[in-house]
C-alpha cells in the first residue's frame, strides 16, 4: 500500500541530503496522493547495499504536510490558546482528548512542519509538546474481523506458524484484487447464498428467465438460475452441509465488508453445482452430470474438492472433453496421508493433462501429516501444496468453521487459476497449469513428494503470467499488465494507472515513470528517430530510487521520440 501510494503520487517538492557516512542519503518529498485529501510530507533514508549494489530504503515516515498534534500545557486556557494560535495563522481543528488537539498550519510546503513546531515551542506556557501528524496504512489487509486467523492468506507466525508460509494474499491484492466478468464452477455440497460473506457470489444464468417454469436455455434443467442441485434434481443448489460454502469462501468470500473472512479474489461468479448431500457424500453419476453441465456453461476453471471416488471410465471421458475444451480441473489429492503414486485417489488420480492435483501444507510450511485428514502426496501424482490446515471459512447459517484437508488447499489454486485466466484471456488449461506449476516456491519439505517440490504463491504466479504475455492489458487502460506490475499499479482497475512524466529541462527531453522494485522486471527508456527502431544507447539517466527517468539532448541529435518499456527478466 505504501509503495503504491508513493508510486502513484505527484511529487510537488523534493530535497535530497547527503548522509553522515558514505553510501547513505536521505530525502524529503511533498506529495499529492489519492490516500489523503491533503498534501503529504515524506521522509526517507536510503543506503547503498554493498552486496547487491542497489539502493535500499532503510526507513520511511509519512506525515500530513500541514498538520500537527499538540498537547496543551496542563491548566492552559483553551480559548486563550486558540486566540494565540490564530495570530500565527494556526487553527485548532478538533480535540483528540482533553489536552490533545490537531492543528492546521498556514502553509503546506516542506518547511511547514518544522516552522510550526518552532512557533509552538515559543509558547511554553500554553503548549507542552508538538509533533507532525503521521499517516499510516493497513499493510494491504482487509477489514474482515477474522482475517488474522487466515494464516494461509497471510502467515505472521500466528499460532506457532512459520512467518510467510502462505500465498502472500495482501501482496497479491496490491497487484490484482478481482477478476470481474469471469465465471467458474464449484462442484461440492452447494452454496449458502444467504451467508453475509457469500452474498451475490452465485452466478446468474443469462439464458434463463427465473420462475417461468421453462427450460429457456435448453440445458435440460428448468429455471437453473444459479446452477443445479444434482442430488435432489432441482434448481436450488443451496448448501446443506457446509463444505461447499467453506470452499467457495476461500475462493471469493466478500472482502472489506467488515464481516468474517476475506476471499482470495473478488468479482468472480460461481456456477453452483451441488453434488454432495448433507452428509458430504456424492455419486459418480452426479459428478459426471455436474462436470458436463459446467463444461457446457463455458467455465474455464472447475474446483473439485472431492476424494475417494472409484475409477470411472465415463468420468474419464468427460474429463477428456474438458481437456479438449481447455478447462482446468483443480482437484484435491485426498486426506489419507498415503502416496497417490501407489494408491491412486480419484478424481485427482486421472492422468489428464488439464488436472492440477493439490496437497495440503500446514502453517509450519510442511505437508500436513497429523492424525486429522493428513494430506496425500506423490512425486508423480500430486503437483503442489497449498494451505489446508485449519482454514477458516463460512458454513451454514451465518457461522464459520475451521476445516482441515486438501479440500481447503484446492480453492487456493482455483483462485489463482482464475486470476491467471483474467490476466491472459487467451490462455487455457495447459498455459494456466504451466504458469502455476512453474512459479511455486520450492521448499525442501516438499522435495520428492510432489512434481514441483513446492507450494503455491500468488505473487510469483501473477509475475510469471504477466512476463509471458507482456503486452496483455486486462483492465484495458492502455497500460500492459507488465507495465502495471512494474509500476505497482493494479491490473484490474482502469482508474489506477502508472504515472508517466514527460519534461524538457536542462537541455534534455526526458521521460520517466514511477516504479516498484521487483526482482523479475525492470523499466528502460528508449529513443527513436522514426518510431520504427528503438535504442537504449545514448540515453542519459536521470533516475532516482523510485523513478526511472532518461532523456536525449533537446537539439534532436539523438532523436526526438522517447518511450518507456517494461522488460521482464529472463
Amino acid at each position: 500500500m505504501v509503495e503504491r501510494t508513493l508510486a502513484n503520487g505527484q511529487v510537488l517538492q523534493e530535497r535530497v541530503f547527503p548522509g553522515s557516512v558514505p553510501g547513505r542519503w536521505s530525502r524529503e518529498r511533498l506529495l499529492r496522493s489519492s490516500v489523503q485529501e491533503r498534501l503529504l510530507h515524506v521522509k526517507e533514508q536510503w543506503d547503498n547495499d554493498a552486496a547487491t549494489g542497489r539502493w535500499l530504503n532503510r526507513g520511511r515516515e509519512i506525515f500530513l504536510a500541514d498538520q500537527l498534534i499538540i498537547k496543551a500545557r496542563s491548566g492552559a486556557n483553551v480559548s486563550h490558546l486558540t486566540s494565540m494560535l490564530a495570530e500565527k495563522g494556526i487553527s485548532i481543528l478538533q480535540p483528540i482528548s482533553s489536552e490533545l488537539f490537531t492543528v492546521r498550519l498556514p502553509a503546506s510546503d516542506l518547511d511547514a512542519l518544522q516552522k510550526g513546531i518552532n512557533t509552538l515551542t515559543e509558547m511554553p506556557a500554553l503548549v507542552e509538546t508538538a509533533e507532525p501528524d503521521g499517516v499510516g496504512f493497513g499493510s494491504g489487509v482487509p477489514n474482515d474481523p477474522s482475517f488474522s486467523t487466515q494464516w494461509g492468506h497471510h502467515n505472521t507466525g500466528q499460532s506457532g506458524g512459520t512467518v510467510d508460509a502462505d500465498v502472500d494474499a495482501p501482496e497479491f491484492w496490491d497487484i490484482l484484487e478481482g477478476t470481474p466478468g469471469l465465471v467458474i464452477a464449484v462442484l461440492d455440497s452447494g452454496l449458502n447464498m444467504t451467508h453475509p460473506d457469500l452474498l451475490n457470489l452465485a452466478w446468474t444464468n443469462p439464458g434463463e428467465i427465473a420462475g417461468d417454469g421453462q427450460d429457456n436455455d435448453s440445458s435440460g434443467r428448468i429455471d437453473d438460475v444459479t446452477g443445479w442441485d444434482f442430488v435432489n434434481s432441482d434448481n436450488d443448489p443451496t448448501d446443506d452441509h457446509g463444505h461447499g460454502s467453506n470452499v467457495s469462501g476461500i475462493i471469493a468470500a466478500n472482502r472489506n465488508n467488515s464481516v468474517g473472512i476475506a476471499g482470495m479474489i473478488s468479482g468472480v461468479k460461481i456456477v453452483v453445482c451441488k453434488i454432495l448431500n448433507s452428509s458430504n457424500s456424492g455419486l459418480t453419476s452426479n459428478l459426471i452430470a455436474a462436470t458436463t453441465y459446467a463444461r457446457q456453461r463455458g467455465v474455464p476453471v472447475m474446483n473439485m474438492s472431492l476424494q475417494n471416488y472409484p475409477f470411472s471410465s465415463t468420468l474419464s471421458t468427460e474429463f477428456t472433453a474438458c481437456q479438449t475444451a481447455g478447462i482446468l480441473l483443480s482437484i484435491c489429492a485426498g486426506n489419507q496421508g498415503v502416496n497417490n503414486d501407489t494408491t491412486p485417489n480419484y478424481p485427482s488420480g486421472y492422468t489428464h493433462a488439464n488436472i492440477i492435483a493439490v496437497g495440503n501444507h500446514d502453517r509450519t510450511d510442511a505437508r500436513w501429516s497429523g492424525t486429522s485428514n493428513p494430506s496425500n502426496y506423490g512425486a508423480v501424482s500430486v503437483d503442489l501444496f497449498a494451505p489446508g490446515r485449519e482454514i477458516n471459512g463460512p458454513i451454514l447459517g451465518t457461522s464459520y468453521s475451521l476445516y482441515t484437508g486438501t479440500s481447503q488447499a484446492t480453492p487456493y489454486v482455483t483462485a489463482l487459476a482464475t486470476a491467471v485466466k483474467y490476466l491472459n484471456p487467451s490462455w487455457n488449461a495447459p498455459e494456466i497449469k504451466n504458469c502455476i506449476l512453474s512459479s511455486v516456491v520450492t521448499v525442501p519439505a516438499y522435495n520428492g513428494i510432489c512434481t514441483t517440490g513446492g507450494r503455491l504463491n500468488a505473487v510469483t504466479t501473477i509475475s510469471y503470467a504477466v512476463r509471458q504475455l507482456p503486452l496483455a492489458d486486462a483492465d484495458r487502460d492502455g497500460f500492459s499488465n507488465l507495465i502495471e506490475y512494474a509500476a505497482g499499479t493494479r491490473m484490474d482497475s482502469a482508474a489506477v494507472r502508472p504515472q508517466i512524466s514527460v519534461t524538457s529541462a536542462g537541455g534534455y527531453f526526458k521521460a520517466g515513470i514511477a516504479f516498484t522494485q521487483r526482482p523479475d522486471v525492470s523499466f528502460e527508456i528508449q529513443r527513436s528517430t522514426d518510431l520504427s527502431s528503438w535504442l537504449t544507447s545514448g540515453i542519459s539517466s536521470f533516475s532516482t530510487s523510485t523513478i526511472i527517468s532518461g532523456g536525449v539532448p533537446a537539439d534532436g541529435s539523438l532523436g526526438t521520440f522517447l518511450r518507456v518499456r517494461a522488460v521482464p527478466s529472463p
Side-chain angles (χ1 to χ4, degrees):
M1 179 66 177
V2 176
E3 297 294 342
R4 185 192 302 174
T5 298
L6 299 180
N8 295 340
Q10 179 185 5
V11 178
L12 303 178
Q13 191 178 359
E14 182 177 76
R15 293 173 180 165
V16 177
F17 306 94
S20 57
V21 297
R24 181 171 296 174
W25 56 281
S26 62
R27 176 175 63 184
E28 295 186 43
R29 288 188 291 170
L30 188 68
L31 201 70
R32 177 176 287 118
S33 169
S34 61
V35 300
Q36 292 286 338
E37 294 182 357
R38 311 232 296 282
L39 299 183
L40 303 180
H41 186 141
V42 182
K43 294 184 176 182
E44 300 170 320
Q45 295 79 45
W46 294 85
D47 283 355
N48 189 348
D49 187 345
T52 64
R54 301 176 64 180
W55 287 101
L56 300 178
N57 180 258
R58 297 299 188 186
R60 178 181 291 122
E61 297 176 308
I62 304 178
F63 309 95
L64 288 179
D66 62 349
Q67 187 158 305
L68 298 173
I69 299 172
I70 67 169
K71 182 179 181 181
R73 184 70 64 183
S74 179
N77 185 289
V78 175
S79 296
H80 181 51
L81 173 62
T82 302
S83 176
M84 291 293 292
L85 291 177
E87 292 181 6
K88 306 291 186 179
I90 301 174
S91 56
I92 289 183
L93 297 178
Q94 58 184 2
I96 299 172
S97 64
S98 60
E99 295 178 348
L100 286 178
F101 303 88
T102 54
V103 298
R104 177 78 63 85
L105 303 174
S108 56
D109 54 31
L110 288 180
D111 296 318
L113 293 179
Q114 190 57 55
K115 285 182 178 178
I117 291 172
N118 293 343
T119 297
L120 293 168
T121 302
E122 297 171 356
M123 302 179 179
L126 296 173
V127 178
E128 184 173 329
T129 61
E131 65 180 14
D133 197 353
V135 176
F137 300 88
S139 300
V141 299
N143 62 18
D144 307 83
S146 294
F147 179 75
S148 62
T149 69
Q150 294 183 268
W151 69 264
H153 283 38
H154 185 50
N155 194 337
T156 61
Q158 63 268 56
S159 301
T162 299
V163 174
D164 210 34
D166 55 36
V167 299
D168 283 334
E171 295 87 344
F172 167 64
W173 294 328
D174 280 342
I175 304 169
L176 183 73
E177 291 190 353
T179 58
L182 275 188
V183 178
I184 65 173
V186 174
L187 285 64
D188 214 290
S189 64
L191 181 68
N192 179 359
M193 302 184 203
T194 61
H195 194 290
D197 248 347
L198 302 175
L199 294 175
N200 303 314
L201 186 54
W203 161 77
T204 299
N205 188 344
E208 278 296 313
I209 300 173
D212 71 348
Q214 303 295 317
D215 180 16
N216 306 108
D217 64 352
S218 300
S219 67
R221 296 171 176 82
I222 295 173
D223 289 340
D224 54 326
V225 177
T226 58
W228 195 255
D229 179 352
F230 293 87
V231 175
N232 299 298
S233 299
D234 60 44
N235 65 349
D236 182 11
T238 297
D239 194 358
D240 56 5
H241 177 273
H243 186 273
S245 296
N246 180 276
V247 165
S248 298
I250 295 167
I251 298 171
N254 294 318
R255 194 164 66 246
N256 285 318
N257 62 342
S258 300
V259 173
I261 66 160
M264 278 297 296
I265 54 174
S266 301
V268 67
K269 297 297 183 180
I270 292 178
V271 178
V272 186
C273 298
K274 177 175 171 55
I275 64 168
L276 302 178
N277 61 20
S278 59
S279 298
N280 210 33
S281 176
L283 304 176
T284 297
S285 57
N286 286 336
L287 173 54
I288 295 167
T291 305
T292 303
Y293 177 83
R295 173 174 56 80
Q296 292 173 341
R297 305 285 79 74
V299 300
V301 181
M302 297 186 201
N303 190 96
M304 298 182 182
S305 291
L306 310 170
Q307 63 168 342
N308 296 341
Y309 279 72
F311 176 85
S312 165
S313 59
T314 306
L315 181 59
S316 178
T317 299
E318 176 52 36
F319 279 8
T320 298
C322 289
Q323 180 173 305
T324 301
I327 300 169
L328 185 78
L329 306 179
S330 181
I331 309 179
C332 70
N335 304 325
Q336 292 72 47
V338 301
N339 187 340
N340 282 358
D341 292 350
T342 56
T343 309
N345 194 296
Y346 296 104
S348 71
Y350 294 101
T351 58
H352 296 73
N354 62 324
I355 292 176
I356 293 184
V358 187
N360 154 25
H361 77 75
D362 64 18
R363 67 180 77 232
T364 68
D365 213 6
R367 178 183 73 89
W368 170 242
S369 58
T371 57
S372 174
N373 288 345
S375 176
N376 293 354
Y377 56 96
V380 176
S381 55
V382 175
D383 292 305
L384 79 169
F385 287 81
R389 169 66 173 158
E390 296 180 339
I391 304 300
N392 199 5
I395 52 171
L396 303 185
T398 59
S399 298
Y400 297 81
S401 184
L402 299 176
Y403 275 62
T404 292
T406 56
S407 283
Q408 282 57 57
T410 302
Y412 276 102
V413 173
T414 299
L416 264 295
T418 305
V420 170
K421 179 67 176 180
Y422 173 78
L423 292 175
N424 294 340
S426 64
W427 280 8
N428 291 314
E431 296 85 2
I432 297 171
K433 179 178 179 178
N434 179 65
C435 175
I436 292 173
L437 300 190
S438 297
S439 57
V440 299
V441 174
T442 56
V443 177
Y446 310 124
N447 185 37
I449 61 173
C450 66
T451 64
T452 61
R455 57 172 166 82
L456 181 73
N457 183 273
V459 176
T460 57
T461 296
I462 296 307
S463 168
Y464 187 93
V466 301
R467 287 183 288 121
Q468 303 312 301
L469 292 180
L471 299 181
D473 180 11
D475 57 9
R476 300 180 182 181
D477 64 354
F479 293 94
S480 72
N481 297 337
L482 185 64
I483 287 178
E484 297 216 77
Y485 173 66
T489 55
R490 275 174 39 206
M491 305 172 205
D492 59 341
S493 174
V496 184
R497 304 183 180 190
Q499 297 296 308
I500 294 179
S501 62
V502 178
T503 60
S504 180
Y508 282 87
F509 177 46
K510 306 174 187 178
I513 187 169
F515 74 101
T516 295
Q517 289 188 350
R518 306 280 191 196
D520 43 23
V521 65
S522 59
F523 280 120
E524 64 182 20
I525 309 298
Q526 298 180 332
R527 65 180 177 87
S528 177
T529 58
D530 55 9
L531 293 178
S532 60
S533 60
W534 294 89
L535 302 170
T536 55
S537 61
I539 294 289
S540 297
S541 175
F542 302 96
S543 298
T544 69
S545 59
T546 57
I547 297 176
I548 296 295
S549 178
V552 293
D555 61 12
S557 58
L558 293 179
T560 56
F561 301 105
L562 294 174
R563 74 176 182 183
V564 178
R565 181 171 177 261
V567 182
S569 301

